Amino acid sequence: MTDYPHHPEQAAVRGLLGAVGEALGGPVPREWREAITAVPRHRFLPERIWLDDGHGGYEPCDLPTDHDRWFDSAYADLPVVTQVNDGEEPPDPAGAWPSSSASAPSIVVRMLRDLDVRPGMRVLEIGTGTGWNAALLAHRLGPGHVASVEIDARVARQAQAALNAAGLTVDVVCGDGSLGWHRRLPYDRIISTCSVRRIPWAWIEQTRPGGIVLTPWDNPMLC
């Protein structure tokens, strides 16, 4: 992936931290501010992302040909679609529908703050996506403390590659997140980046007594 000069990256990170703090109604907690500074978000995005086309659809934005727009999107407090159509891109962008994305940074930080992790804890993430959320956790907790489950094999490989390139040790597992992962249990925390309508029993079984399971909630009444 093409890199960027150090100073523009620093400015972009400062701008992102300011936007996230504004969304949260206060400064980003120190430990997550340090993690975001050390683990730049753009290093976890693919060279092709998909942006709102202004007409209810998505259009591709490629790093080599539209790097300014790509980079600005990487550091906006907005979600970024990183895959469409389960990785099988349509010949016509009008047929694109999002199948994987990077959450808005303010949502990421809000959930990490609510997760209340501390050094020494073991965390299981459900839904690896780009790997940036797992990277922030690994920066905070150190090697051997974070595992992440991703159902899409291609997405899992890309996330593992990005984590390896950042020098962060995370066990990325391709599998069904509703089953959790047995290798490092019990976990002090389980965090899901995908919405659920019920908590899978496996997550409860794999969480240490007194631990936390944190997930977005999908209300079927709103569908």
Side-chain angles (χ1 to χ4, degrees):
M1 178 178 290
T2 304
D3 209 344
Y4 284 85
H6 191 53
H7 293 301
E9 181 182 301
Q10 288 182 331
V13 171
R14 287 196 299 269
L16 177 60
L17 288 169
V20 170
E22 184 175 345
L24 296 179
V28 175
R30 177 185 55 79
E31 63 271 21
W32 299 118
R33 185 172 65 249
E34 291 175 354
I36 289 170
T37 301
V39 185
R41 189 185 189 219
H42 77 270
R43 297 180 187 272
F44 289 82
L45 296 181
E47 292 198 353
R48 167 166 286 190
I49 58 177
W50 294 76
L51 304 178
D52 187 342
D53 65 3
H55 304 287
Y58 297 90
E59 61 184 4
C61 175
D62 295 326
L63 172 61
T65 58
D66 199 357
H67 59 84
D68 288 343
R69 187 182 182 205
W70 186 97
F71 191 70
D72 288 346
S73 298
Y75 286 97
D77 186 24
L78 294 169
V80 175
V81 174
T82 54
Q83 184 198 76
V84 297
N85 299 45
D86 288 330
E88 301 298 328
E89 295 184 8
D92 181 356
W97 48 269
S99 52
S100 188
S101 64
S103 299
S106 58
I107 298 299
V108 171
V109 174
R110 187 187 303 275
M111 292 186 69
L112 292 175
R113 181 190 63 186
D114 293 346
L115 195 62
D116 188 28
V117 295
R118 295 181 292 279
M121 287 185 170
R122 286 198 294 262
V123 177
L124 176 64
E125 176 191 46
I126 308 299
T128 314
T130 65
W132 189 56
N133 194 72
L136 298 175
L137 282 165
H139 181 273
R140 169 75 170 137
L141 298 176
H145 289 270
V146 181
S148 186
V149 183
E150 169 59 50
I151 196 168
D152 187 305
R154 184 181 308 181
V155 172
R157 288 193 299 269
Q158 292 171 341
Q160 186 72 79
L163 287 158
N164 292 344
L168 295 165
T169 303
V170 174
D171 292 315
V172 178
V173 182
C174 182
D176 182 350
S178 69
L179 302 178
W181 194 47
H182 289 82
R183 184 171 176 181
R184 294 190 182 275
L185 60 81
Y187 297 99
D188 299 283
R189 303 286 189 266
I190 292 182
I191 179 171
S192 173
T193 63
C194 49
S195 300
V196 298
R197 294 183 179 181
R198 63 178 182 84
I199 303 296
W201 184 247
W203 297 2
I204 298 171
E205 288 184 316
Q206 294 174 23
T207 303
R208 186 186 304 279
I212 292 174
V213 175
L214 180 65
T215 180
W217 199 250
D218 177 19
N219 185 346
M221 298 301 293
L222 300 179
C223 294

